Amino acid sequence: MSNEKPEARYQRLAADYRKRIAARLKADYGFRPDFVALLLIQDDQEMLQLVREKEPEAWTEIAGLVTELKERLDEPPAYLIARYYQARASRLAAETICCQKRSAVADFQLQLSRLMINPVTGLPILFLILYFGLYLFVGRFGAGVLVDLLEEHLFNQRLTPWLTGASNRWLPWPALRELFTGEYGIITLGVRYAVALILPIVTTFFLAFAVLEDTGYLPRLALLLDRFFKKIGLTGRAVIPLVLGLGCDTMATLVTRTLPTRRERFIATLLLALAVPCAAQLGVIFSLLAEKPAGIAVWAMIILAVFLLAGFLASRLVPGDPPDFYLEIPLLRRPLFSNILVKTGARIKWYFLEIMPMFIFASLLIWAGRLSHLFDLLVRILTFPVRWLGLPAETAVAFLFGFFRRDYGAGGLYDLKKAGLLSGNQLLVAAVTLTLFLPCVAQFLMNIKERGWKVGVSISIFTLFFSFTVGFFLNLGLNLLGINL
Amino acid sequence: MKCSFCGLEFDPKSAPSPCQRCPVSRWCGRRRCPGCGMEIAETGSETGTGARRRRFGKGWCWGGPAASRIQTTKPAGAGEAVLTELERNRPAEVSSLRVHDRSRLEKLMALGILPGLKITLLQKFPAYIVQVGNSQFALDEGLAACIFVKPLTED
């Protein structure tokens, strides 16, 4: 091979320098000194730090040797070492592997994989998966049938009346009763919301997600959408948290941990907070605008435009290098049922441990707010911005509760709509504002937990002002153009 | 050139460019001192959108082809082509990786894309998909443009 030469030169030089560096290492590292030296010449940051601490006298000399070796080689040592290993492995493989036969199944998998990653056939396949996996299984079965079963039949008809009765009997103080079984109590809101509303949705979602994951579809989806995500400062990898956000934004914010850089994690968190409505919210907003298909279209267009605009601006303004996209495309596999069950079970457990305390905390916060009449004050303050949007003052309550549970806020609007207090334009303005409005309290806490309190609080303040600004201009635009929905 | 702040002498071509982190879309003619990070105007440098594109345009690795301290191999030799210009399904051999920043080299190394390996380009849009050994990888244009190949004649 023509590239044998630098390899040989590297071996001679590296062996020499490794010996010289190893001779200067005095402390105990738990490895042989020449292995420590090998890590040092590869620029292993952890080892460099450790040696600097443990060898204060010899450090300058050691660092000098490492730099000297790097200067004498044309290419970084880590790269040369990787090439050396690769060449050895190839030689070994060539000696031991004689022939490879491809089976009919493998051929079929290859064909299917081609169809999935070709944009012409890949996008229709994506829509089929979204329709069957997400809409029918998670949306209709999980969020529809199962939620109905658990919330209506288990909680509202059996558990809640029984617990309310018990607390009325055993808890003498009304404030304490309110805390556990009141309208926003720990059991009636926190536990019920986590178990009856979120649990079925996330269980079905995690099941569908595990199937997609185990077949190897997700990397193919990521590469299909990479170009689009580059425009908003993310890469194809971000598809996973953002799709998850359509189920539950709080959980999706947790999943942004899978993104490789801080910049990507920040942009994804911001987009989730601002422009990705969660499943519960989507349901109520669709029922709110049900009789006005034009309203739904305008709503969807505005949310999409905000998503793109915010992403585009963030990609321009957030400091950091534009991300690289690289991903191994694994073979397509038929998922193992047992694996999927184990994986889904583990995730639900993890989810519960992460999210349950937050829901309970949210209940506590609402309880304290109502008890101290802080809520009444906040509602009165919120009345002003709500009037600027051309909405009746009653909607202020819906907006405040929208912060604790976004779908609850939208639910409040639903009651106002039934009472005939809102016109078509007002419904649209309120729906848009509430979608962009502050994330629910669980997501707010998650933002702080994942991004630190500075970033978490600034994202919330930003979404607050941004949502009202968009609502204000939407109302103004509708009035100026004389549109009545 | 010499940094007006800390006095360090440096080669403007090899100084890391702050462009990619900056929202200004035109080449502003400034260089960042590798010693202290101060941005200084380069005298006689071409400015404007066209200049920036020529320096940091599509298809080039971060920092352009000329600027590099960790550039891994010599300039393109005879019969060498950048991966993005290779025909689809034509077998080739990786001849060199031309990478400016260390993290990109590490990414390619982690995928096991190294000189001497057989590589086949399977698809160019929406992402570059290559077959190396028994594995397939998806790469974006920036990373694919770092890989230089020698097309192999089919036998």
Side-chain angles (χ1 to χ4, degrees), chain A residues 68-249:
Chain A
E68 203 182 301
L69 173 67
K70 275 195 258 175
E71 268 162 19
R72 288 185 66 181
L73 295 167
D74 316 330
E75 299 173 296
Y79 171 71
L80 289 167
I81 290 168
R83 287 191 64 176
Y84 173 70
Y85 287 155
Q86 200 276 318
R88 282 284 297 268
S90 296
R91 234 171 287 148
L92 257 174
E95 281 164 18
T96 45
I97 302 170
C98 64
C99 49
Q100 281 169 302
K101 239 193 329 192
R102 210 186 267 161
S103 64
V105 183
D107 267 342
F108 170 72
Q109 284 169 341
L110 234 71
Q111 287 304 321
L112 189 63
S113 169
R114 289 238 162 126
L115 291 178
M116 280 178 175
I117 55 184
N118 187 325
V120 180
T121 47
L123 289 177
I125 292 177
L126 168 62
F127 280 111
L128 281 180
I129 288 174
L130 285 181
Y131 180 75
F132 284 104
L134 222 58
Y135 179 74
L136 284 189
F137 185 62
V138 181
R140 282 297 178 83
F141 178 68
V145 178
L146 287 182
V147 167
D148 192 52
L149 205 70
L150 281 172
E151 186 174 35
E152 258 324 297
H153 293 94
L154 185 70
F155 270 85
N156 286 2
Q157 286 180 10
R158 282 159 215 269
L159 229 52
T160 316
W162 182 76
L163 281 166
T164 315
S167 82
N168 284 346
R169 202 164 321 135
W170 302 111
L171 293 173
W173 306 280
L176 211 59
R177 242 182 270 159
E178 188 79 359
L179 173 63
F180 286 101
T181 54
E183 203 181 339
Y184 305 97
I186 289 176
I187 289 165
T188 33
L189 185 122
V191 177
R192 181 176 59 93
Y193 196 49
V195 173
L197 264 167
I198 305 287
L199 185 68
I201 299 178
V202 292
T203 308
T204 45
F205 190 91
F206 278 151
L207 270 175
F209 200 72
V211 171
L212 284 184
E213 208 173 28
D214 281 14
T215 49
Y217 180 70
L218 289 178
R220 289 168 172 83
L221 176 61
L223 84 89
L224 267 184
L225 297 178
D226 177 56
R227 268 174 201 265
F228 167 72
F229 277 105
K230 283 278 171 59
K231 299 265 186 294
I232 54 172
L234 298 168
T235 70
R237 279 167 197 257
V239 87
I240 295 162
L242 290 182
V243 168
L244 206 52
L246 293 174
C248 170
D249 282 325

Side-chain angles (χ1 to χ4, degrees), chain A residues 8 121 124 136 147 164 167 215 234 282 292 302 337 366 370 399 475:
Chain A
T121 47
L136 284 189
V147 167
T164 315
S167 82
T215 49
L234 298 168
L282 278 173
K292 303 186 169 59
I302 291 172
F337 191 63
I366 296 183
R370 282 163 58 98
F399 275 87
N475 182 43

Side-chain angles (χ1 to χ4, degrees), chain A residues 5-21 41 65 68-75 77 80:
Chain A
K5 253 171 132 191
E7 241 178 68
R9 182 175 143 77
Y10 156 72
Q11 277 187 3
R12 183 170 54 76
L13 278 172
D16 177 36
Y17 276 85
R18 267 174 76 183
K19 224 178 282 167
R20 284 164 65 186
I21 293 170
I41 62 179
L65 281 171
E68 203 182 301
L69 173 67
K70 275 195 258 175
E71 268 162 19
R72 288 185 66 181
L73 295 167
D74 316 330
E75 299 173 296
L80 289 167

